[in-house]
Amino acid sequence: MAWRSLVLLPFLLAAVSGNTAPYFDMTFVVYVPEDLGLGQHAFQLTAVDVDGDQLTYSISGTEAFYFSVDPQTGNVTLKSSLDREYQPKLTITIGVYDGINDEVSKKLTVIVEDRNDNAPVFQNLPYEASIPENTTVNSIIYTVFANDSDTGSAAKVSYSIEEVIPDNMKNLQLFYILPNGNVILNGSLDYSKNTFYQLKIRAQDGGGLLHNIMTIHKSSTYLTLTIQDLPNLDPRFLNEPYSGSVPENCDLGTTVLTVTAMDRDTGVNDKIFYSITNASVPFAIDAETGTITVSGTLDREELPSEELLLEVTAREENLDIYNKVAQASTLVTVVVTDVNDNKPQFYDCSLSSCDFSTSSQNFKGSIIEHSSSRLPVSNLSIIAHDPDKGINSKYELHLEGPNASAFTVSPTEIMGTGEVQLLVQDPDLVDYEISHVMMVQIIANDTGNPMDCCSTATVTIDLIDTNDHTPEFPQSTYSLTVMENSANGTVISPNITAYDPDSGILGQITYELFPDSIRKVFTVNATTGAVLVWDSSLLDRETRSIYYANLQAKDGGNLVGTTVLEITVLDDNDNAPIVTGSYFISVEEGQNVTLQIQAIDNDEPGNRNSQLGFKILPGPFSNNFSINAATGEMHNKEPLDREALEDEQGQMVVTVEVYDHGVPQLSTLVNVTITVGDINDNTPVFLNQSYEFSVFEESPESRVGDVEATDADRTDINSRISFTLQRGSGSSNFLIHSIRMGLGHYRGQLTVDPEMSLDYDTLQQKFFSLEVLAKNTAADEAEDVAETSVSVVVHILDVNDESPTVLPASLQDIGVSENGTQQGLVHMLVASDPDTNHSLVFEELAVTCFKDGSSAGEVCWDWFVLEPDGSVLVNSSDIDYELCDTVVLTLRAEDLYTEKGSRYSQNETLRIHITDVNDNPPVFLPISETFVVVPEISPVDLQVATVKATDADSGLKGAITFSIVSVVLVEENGVTRPFENLFKVVTTAEQDTYVGSIQVASNLDSSLKGQYQVTVEAQDREPPVHTAQTVLNIFAVDQSYRVRLQFVTTVSEVQSNSETIKAALTTVTKAGVYVVGIQSIEDTHASQVEAKSVMEAYFVYSNGTALDVNQLSMLIQSDPLILAELVKLGLAIIGPGEVTKPNKEAELIGIIAGLAAFLLLFILIMTLALVLTTKSYKRKLSAMKALKVATTFSPATAQQGAGIPGTNQYNAEGANPMLNLSLDPSHDLGFHEDSNSVTSVNSLDENTVNAPGDDDLNKKQGKMKLTEPTDEEVLVAALNLKDPTKTTYINNTFNTTDL
């Protein structure tokens, strides 16, 4: 009880003093983000004093320098920057003092929260690799790795390729990178294009908060890839581009330059030969040295360009690896330098378009008189040109001639080509009044060529006058007249002109009328001054008889002169006569007509404009009447005939013109209408003198024909006609009906009596003679002229009423060869018709295509065409037996003259058989399997491979025979050896496919290693013969792969169990088992077991690889079940194909050595097991302690995974329950120096924490015991979440012989 008293003593003392010490009211674990800014609030110290004393806060400790506290408020701010990656946890001492009691102190843990403040860092720099240029696409060429010190998603790194150097746009897609950092080749490499690449690789984290902003960090580095060259490139010219120069007119053989090319293939350095490939150049090249010399005359000015391009080819002496000529070409620029051998010339052209083909000596320009000094002469295009180059083209210009002092030339010096101008030098000498034309000479002097230095250009200059005169009219007033109604454009006065002595445009005068109102009636020609009528409709003397206007003349300088115009309008005959009344009269035919025309004229009386005259205008009836020209009285010349008039009403219209005598003469027309009455004075008349018709037999009511008659009377009642048949022979068989066609025009329709049936066969005469009467119904019976008759003959015709028939003989099957070997007519169809009058044609109804009895679609629709005459023609050269072997034409015959019954024959078919032609070669079918042969167990006639082929042709044309063309053995070292008669082929047919069975023809050599390349040929059997070839690869398995399996059972027992043994071996090896033989063993002292029999066999895969004895042993031992089954079947020893028989001494030494090795191996295994067990339990107990510490932290902290103090290095064991990670026994994270192997981790799965071994180990260590059962239960539960470790056998040493 003494310790209890000591505990209560401070409280008793405080009660006596009457004041209580303060205490902290807060948690003692705070969280501060590592990106907190200096001076910002980190956390708050909070304490309570029940006495209300003033509290003072403080912080202390070795890590307190990171913070600063306000003593009064307890607000803690950041003083030094934090870095979680450097120090994730801080411990400081916080204190509070009330001024009376002792200071109260507590330990405060500050957890630094992670922020995304670290970028990924690439490891193991620099990144460099060398890869051959023929690296295959999708190969892994490098692996990069970047680490990010942050946690969570901010530590997850992704990769991308930002840039590829060189030529980023072109090569960016040449590579790509996987999430695990593997760089993959995505295209083909070419050393000649790029010898290296630099890939700028970006590593980017998953992003996280930094200063409360979602931040993503990136890092970049370069991966340098060096491309290894292969000998596959053309030569390359050095020091390109090539250019040289040579003076024109130089000697032949002058050296221009030397080109050099090298072989770009490493280590080859083939000899190079040079040649100039473009023709017609005056140069030659030395084939070995590459020196270019002049081989022809050079004239720079005659060449198309001073720069000549030579195409030089460099060719390697030997062919490249593709068996092609390795060569390269380059362009050599040869500049022909200039020699001063040309003088300057003048050209009349513009500088931009001058071709300098024809020089000029005479030029012409113009300038305004008294122009200012330095003003150039206009309309002058002078180009001076010296075809030489550089200083050789420099020349001087000066003026000569009678007017040289008035002008100057610019420029005075030119190099090559320039535009020459003449400038005014003395304006007073440039005077139009003194001289209209001036002349100077321009001299071009090439001072560098005294032998031929100068050229002369003569320039004629026209002076232009200035405006200094005003236009003047000869008169101040002009009196003009114009006739009213004058046409638009009528000239009133053609010669009113003004005079201006100025020249050119300044003396050109423009005329205009004023005021504006006068321009509505009149206008003036702006150029000639002629006054014209503008609008004749406004020019009416009765409205206005006189007009006044001002005529203005303006010159090109806008100087003006005027005159006055007085225009009088003259009278014109503009009123036509007016006819009064209308004129319609009626009269019977045969009577006379008298009529007076009345008219007046409103023009002035007594004037010729008002004097009238009358006349009948030409017309249909103008000759039937006359009229008095002065009085207008009208009479008929002869009696009127109604039948002469075509008008149904009998009207005659006569046009009378009433005219005056003015100029121009005006007139008015009036129609006079006379209606003439009809009388019956005409007899019907038939249109034909006789008629002849025909009608088919047995056609009652059929229409035979029509007779027509007319009556000239012009009224309906006087022109009616009726038809009747005159009684006589055969008239009772017919009827006739009258039909009105028009006025006085009737038709008699003759038909067969409905009750009569005319039979062509019973008639003695095949025709009837009838007489038809036509009578005017308005005439009196007594009048003889009222009736007329005509003769009608009716012929009886036979009727075509039989259907045509296609002759069966013409429908026999026919044959046509394919591929257009037959053209034109291939068959002729024949049809018949019993009718005497017929016209037969053939019609194609359908085309049907068949192949082997089944429909072939529409493939043959256009192969043949059936003509109307029955000709069957080949219409296409695309006839193909393989597409269609039978064409069926459905057809019929048609009688075009059939009038009764069916005009078509029955539908018939013509079958056309397509004859096959051998036009298709055999085609080998694809081979997907791999062929293997074991020579030791391959007897003659054993099938080792098969080929299949088809031929689209039929019969013998499509029958295939196989043969072996060649056999070549390709050994492992690439050497080839030809063989003969090693294999044979047997041909069999399977439906439409032919199978070639490749069989052994002679004993194979089992010691040969490699693959046989067998060339098989397929050939059809009918000319023209077609062939095709294919190459088979047959892998040979040699004796080195023969394995001996020794059994403790007898030969008979092994033989009886052989199928079971083979099945077990096939299951474990997945290979084909080929047994060579089973025999007994006499001497078995070499082994510890007594073997009685041996089975020798090969283990071969379908891809041509085989297992040796070591690989077989490893595979059998990897499967305990199969191994147990084979042992049960008697398997004792697996050995190589040939076993040497050791002596007794060797056997004894072998047994002793084996026992020693076994003992040593046993000691090593036990020692290793002890060490691994110790380390395993040590790590397990460390993980349990870490778990206990982890339980003291908040869940928010634990969710950060590796951020929990004390547990990071044990996450791999699953000791962190917050992470809930499953264990991967094949992955060692390496977090601790005691990290175990996979075996040690697995050992933890099979032991509990309460194992006795653990207790002993804890006693020996003396540290870190499990004291709380709850911690132990949590660890056991976490470990039990793992799945049992699965062991998979991986044979890393499995190396088959790939042939």
Side-chain angles (χ1 to χ4, degrees), residues 318-549:
N318 300 308
L319 300 179
D320 62 11
I321 61 174
Y322 306 112
N323 203 28
K324 295 182 180 179
V325 176
Q327 61 182 17
S329 297
T330 187
L331 293 178
V332 178
T333 302
V334 179
V335 179
V336 181
T337 59
D338 186 44
V339 175
N340 193 359
D341 55 352
N342 293 278
K343 67 178 181 179
Q345 298 284 347
F346 293 97
Y347 298 88
D348 187 0
C349 57
S350 62
L351 187 60
S352 61
S353 61
C354 199
D355 59 0
F356 307 110
S357 59
T358 305
S359 61
S360 300
Q361 297 180 351
N362 297 304
F363 300 88
K364 190 172 184 179
S366 62
I367 193 168
I368 299 174
E369 62 175 332
H370 306 305
S371 294
S372 301
S373 178
R374 302 299 296 175
L375 190 69
V377 176
S378 59
N379 301 323
L380 192 62
S381 297
I382 303 178
I383 302 298
H385 172 66
D386 189 325
D388 292 323
K389 189 177 182 182
I391 193 65
N392 294 332
S393 65
K394 184 176 180 181
Y395 50 93
E396 298 176 351
L397 299 173
H398 68 275
L399 293 182
E400 295 180 359
N403 302 115
S405 59
F407 300 92
T408 184
V409 65
S410 176
T412 59
E413 187 176 270
I414 297 177
M415 181 175 291
T417 304
E419 184 176 0
V420 181
Q421 288 186 323
L422 286 180
L423 308 179
V424 175
Q425 181 171 275
D426 188 349
D428 294 336
L429 297 180
V430 184
D431 191 348
Y432 181 83
E433 284 71 27
I434 296 176
S435 174
H436 295 351
V437 178
M438 305 181 74
M439 182 178 297
V440 296
Q441 292 178 333
I442 304 174
I443 308 300
N445 181 15
D446 187 348
T447 58
N449 185 13
M451 300 300 296
D452 187 12
C453 64
C454 303
S455 296
T456 302
T458 302
V459 182
T460 301
I461 306 169
D462 293 328
L463 301 187
I464 301 173
D465 192 15
T466 57
N467 186 25
D468 53 358
H469 296 87
T470 301
E472 295 182 359
F473 287 96
Q475 299 175 211
S476 60
T477 302
Y478 289 88
S479 297
L480 307 175
T481 60
V482 62
M483 185 66 68
E484 67 170 330
N485 301 322
S486 295
N488 293 343
T490 300
V491 178
I492 301 174
S493 175
N495 57 356
I496 301 178
T497 56
Y499 172 73
D500 189 323
D502 291 324
S503 62
I505 192 172
L506 299 176
Q508 294 180 0
I509 298 175
T510 302
Y511 298 94
E512 192 172 5
L513 283 178
F514 292 96
D516 293 343
S517 59
I518 198 68
R519 290 202 288 267
K520 296 180 180 180
V521 183
F522 302 99
T523 187
V524 64
N525 188 301
T527 303
T528 65
V531 181
L532 303 90
V533 175
W534 175 253
D535 190 350
S536 62
S537 65
L538 301 179
L539 196 61
D540 187 0
R541 191 195 67 81
E542 286 74 23
T543 302
R544 184 174 178 179
S545 61
I546 191 167
Y547 293 88
Y548 293 94

